[in-house]
Amino acid sequence: MKDVGQEFKKLINKTLEKVGTCSNCGGPVYEWKNKRTDGKNRSKPVCMNCGSEEIALQEDRQTERIYNQSLKNRNMQFFKSGSVVPNKSLFDKTFDNFQVDSEEANKVVNMADQFVDEILADRNTHMIFSGKSGSGKSHIAMATLQEVMKRSEHSKKCLFINYRELLEMLKNSINEPEMQKVIRGSLMKDIKTTDLVVLDDLGVELGGSNANNSTAYNNDSLHAILEAREDKPLIVTTNLTSKEISSAYGERVMSRILNNARGYMMAFKDTPDKRIKGA
């Protein structure tokens, strides 16, 4: 009488081939030697000890890693190439290197962290930072945006837009058809539709301390952006008070900024100039 175990082993060797080792139990993983008529495997590789579809799981994990890395690369490229920043070093600003040197700064970080939770929960929340230059408004805004991308595993598309720089680009493109196509077509569309936008340094473009010298062109450009972002996540940093914003741009602009911002407004009053400290 033939040994059943030996006969079964011969059958396995005849019809299956070993393609790996199961990380679940250490047993051999086999797949069919003969392929389907279309050349594909007849089934997923299987561990003969525990039945774990180990190779398939490894392939799925590898596919997921490749997809996630591709998504990260694509959205980081969108962020870096689409953002309008006066100084590329701003991209290095994070929560980790934000100086928490006062109670006010601590409150700012806590509020920003809560705002990240809001965005990850797909809420259309607005956050507003106001105060004098050098208080760290741009830093904390960029840090918040970076944290949203990080904690969403880069599934959220984000842009950081310095408003004065954007306004200059829009003005310079008026007599440049190709430049106008890029800025008014692609960039403005992205600003209006992407998951989260930071509108940085609103009011700086006015110059000096006179908040009443905004132009019709400025107001129209700003209104177009804020109208599109009214029910989408938005962060605004400004050196103006709410009264000065209303005076410079009108009540409609102020209303659109404040929309969905309840609990997420912070005026920097006690924070020292962080640029002096190299922040």
Side-chain angles (χ1 to χ4, degrees), residues 23-39:
S23 63
N24 185 50
C25 70
V29 174
Y30 290 91
E31 68 179 9
W32 292 98
K33 287 184 177 181
N34 295 330
K35 308 293 183 182
R36 295 186 334 199
T37 55
D38 60 5

Side-chain angles (χ1 to χ4, degrees), residues 115-130:
F115 177 82
V116 173
D117 291 335
E118 290 280 304
I119 304 308
L120 296 180
D122 293 323
R123 299 190 183 102
N124 298 321
T125 309
H126 292 184
M127 183 164 62
I128 305 165
F129 295 119
S130 63

Side-chain angles (χ1 to χ4, degrees), residues 10-174:
K10 288 179 181 179
L11 179 62
I12 289 177
N13 291 335
K14 182 178 179 180
T15 58
L16 305 175
E17 62 179 346
K18 184 179 177 181
V19 293
T21 301
C22 179
S23 63
N24 185 50
C25 70
V29 174
Y30 290 91
E31 68 179 9
W32 292 98
K33 287 184 177 181
N34 295 330
K35 308 293 183 182
R36 295 186 334 199
T37 55
D38 60 5
K40 295 182 179 179
N41 291 330
R42 295 170 63 180
S43 65
K44 294 180 179 180
V46 176
C47 173
M48 299 301 289
N49 286 356
C50 69
S52 175
E53 297 179 341
E54 178 61 23
I55 301 300
L57 291 174
Q58 290 179 1
E59 291 176 350
D60 289 344
R61 287 193 290 266
Q62 178 65 8
T63 299
E64 184 178 8
R65 283 194 293 269
I66 292 172
Y67 171 78
N68 288 338
Q69 187 60 47
S70 174
L71 181 66
K72 177 180 178 179
N73 293 342
R74 185 167 65 250
N75 284 348
M76 283 301 291
Q77 175 64 23
F78 174 84
F79 166 56
K80 291 288 183 72
S81 63
S83 292
V84 179
V85 296
N87 189 333
K88 298 299 182 184
S89 66
L90 193 57
F91 287 125
D92 299 326
K93 304 302 183 184
T94 66
F95 282 157
D96 290 339
N97 55 34
F98 182 78
Q99 289 187 7
V100 183
D101 50 7
S102 66
E103 180 61 28
E104 183 175 81
N106 187 59
K107 289 180 180 179
V108 166
V109 172
N110 288 336
M111 186 178 80
D113 190 57
Q114 291 173 14
F115 177 82
V116 173
D117 291 335
E118 290 280 304
I119 304 308
L120 296 180
D122 293 323
R123 299 190 183 102
N124 298 321
T125 309
H126 292 184
M127 183 164 62
I128 305 165
F129 295 119
S130 63
K132 59 187 178 182
S133 297
S135 56
K137 302 186 302 296
S138 298
H139 185 148
I140 196 64
M142 175 62 83
T144 304
L145 187 152
Q146 301 262 30
E147 191 70 11
V148 166
M149 290 191 292
K150 176 183 175 182
R151 287 170 53 186
S152 71
E153 296 182 336
H154 294 86
S155 64
K156 295 289 187 183
K157 298 176 71 174
C158 304
L159 287 173
F160 189 101
I161 306 296
N162 181 279
Y163 183 64
R164 179 173 62 176
E165 295 288 322
L166 175 65
L167 200 62
E168 286 300 312
M169 291 170 63
L170 289 170
K171 291 176 181 178
N172 293 336
S173 71
I174 292 176

